[in-house]
């Protein structure tokens, strides 16, 4: 099959038209140039060194030209031109990265978050630090933009599934195809619960965006709290025959908002159950750290491991874990993100730690709530 001729008008993938500004930005972002300056750890030192070098060379040249007999009216302009040329050559190393940042910022303003700074990132001065920070910011913005673009598709998919199931079930009931038996009504109720959970996730996401949430702090027995959290999960998991083993001392007391903490532990334990093969064990163990005044809880999913490079990404919003044998698909990709948010509200942390037994989520919470 003959290849289609290249159409220069399709250069810009977003606008489907040739954009010379975008072409210039792309060329600048891909061009690599060695900075003539950037060896020092401070821009002040670099400017001082540049002034000293230019002054010294200008002085030596002026002395040499006068020595060979040239008139001062001729020697001085030549000396100034050389000094300006040296200054321009070395100062270019300061200006080029800034120009590239300007072009990259213009590209990001147009919605192109793939641009990166390629000049000056290896230097130790303030410009090098700024270039590296700019690239990190661009990478985060690119990821956030991708997550936003995926959000509508993810939420639409998650809403469509229970809504379609509810519509089909209710149509069958209305048409008399199926009867309103307890089993059929329970199936409809399960779909409404799924919708309710998704709406709760989205409400929690809006609270996360707002950056704050009210907490109802009270002291409670941690072992009893975990038992109450696990009980509905065991009922919902009956078809998979997971064994949830709890190892928590009965005398651990903790302060916090039970609703938020239940949200935290429900999401973590549900995630462990979802990524565990049937007839396997999920371990929940907790101990007090008297030195730090914290309660450390580990939720261990025996079997599957989480790669080290993916351990921070799984806590991002709308990032779903990989599925495989013995795992359930679906989900919103919000559970772990909301769990980390709930832990941070209490001044705690959630992270994945090394464990040869499997995926180990470690939750650290302060025993006593401190108002900041």
């Amino acid at each position: 099959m003959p290849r289609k001729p290249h159409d220069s008008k399709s250069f810009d993938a977003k606008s489907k038209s040739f954009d010379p500004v975008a072409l210039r930005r792309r060329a600048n972002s891909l061009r690599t140039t060695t900075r003539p300056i950037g060896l020092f750890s401070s821009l002040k030192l670099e400017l001082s060194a540049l002034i000293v070098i230019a002054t010294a060379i200008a002085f030596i040249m002026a002395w040499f030209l006068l020595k060979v007999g040239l008139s001062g009216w001729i020697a001085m302009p030549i000396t100034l031109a050389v000094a300006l040329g040296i200054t321009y050559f070395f100062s270019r190393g300061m200006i080029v990265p800034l120009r590239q940042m300007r072009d990259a910022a213009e590209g990001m303003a147009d919605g192109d978050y793939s641009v990166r700074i390629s000049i000056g990132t290896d230097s130790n001065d303030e410009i090098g630090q700024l270039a590296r920070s700019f690239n990190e910011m661009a990478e985060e913005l690119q990821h956030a933009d991708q997550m936003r673009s995926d959000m509508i598709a993810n939420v639409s998919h998650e809403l469509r599934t229970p809504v379609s199931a509810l519509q089909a079930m209710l149509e069958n009931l209305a048409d008399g195809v199926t009867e309103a038996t307890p089993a059929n009504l329970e199936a409809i109720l399960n779909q409404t619960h799924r919708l309710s959970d998704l709406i709760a996730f989205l409400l929690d996401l809006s609270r996360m965006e707002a950056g704050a949430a009210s907490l109802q702090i009270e002291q409670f027995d941690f072992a009893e709290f975990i038992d109450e959290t696990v009980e509905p999960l065991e009922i919902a998991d009956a078809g998979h025959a997971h064994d949830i083993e709890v190892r928590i001392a009965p005398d651990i007391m903790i302060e916090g908002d039970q609703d938020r903490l239940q949200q935290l532990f429900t999401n973590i334990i549900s995630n462990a159950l979802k990524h565990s093969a049937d007839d396997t064990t999920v371990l929940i163990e907790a101990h007090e750290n008297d030195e730090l005044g914290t309660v450390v809880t580990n939720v261990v999913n025996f079997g599957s491991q989480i790669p080290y490079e993916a351990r921070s990404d799984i806590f991002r919003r709308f990032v779903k874990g990989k599925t495989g044998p013995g795992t359930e698909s679906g989900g919103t990709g919000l559970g772990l993100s909301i769990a980390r948010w709930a832990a941070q509200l209490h001044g705690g942390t959630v992270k994945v730690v090394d464990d040869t037994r499997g995926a180990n989520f470690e939750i650290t919470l302060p025993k006593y709530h401190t108002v900041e």
Side-chain angles (χ1 to χ4, degrees), residues 128-146:
Q129 296 172 12
L130 177 61
R132 290 190 291 271
S133 298
F134 187 96
N135 284 342
E136 292 175 2
M137 178 193 68
E139 186 174 352
E140 288 296 322
L141 288 175
Q142 185 179 18
H143 177 81
D145 183 65
Q146 183 64 41

Side-chain angles (χ1 to χ4, degrees), residues 64-79:
F64 176 78
L65 292 177
L66 293 174
K67 187 75 173 178
V68 298
L70 283 180
S71 170
W73 294 102
I74 299 176
M76 290 304 297
I78 295 176
T79 301

Side-chain angles (χ1 to χ4, degrees), residues 292-313:
L292 298 178
T294 59
V295 175
V296 181
T297 308
N298 294 87
V299 179
V300 184
N301 158 27
F302 293 95
S304 62
Q305 292 279 358
I306 300 176
Y308 183 81
E309 60 276 8
R311 293 181 181 180
S312 59
D313 290 337

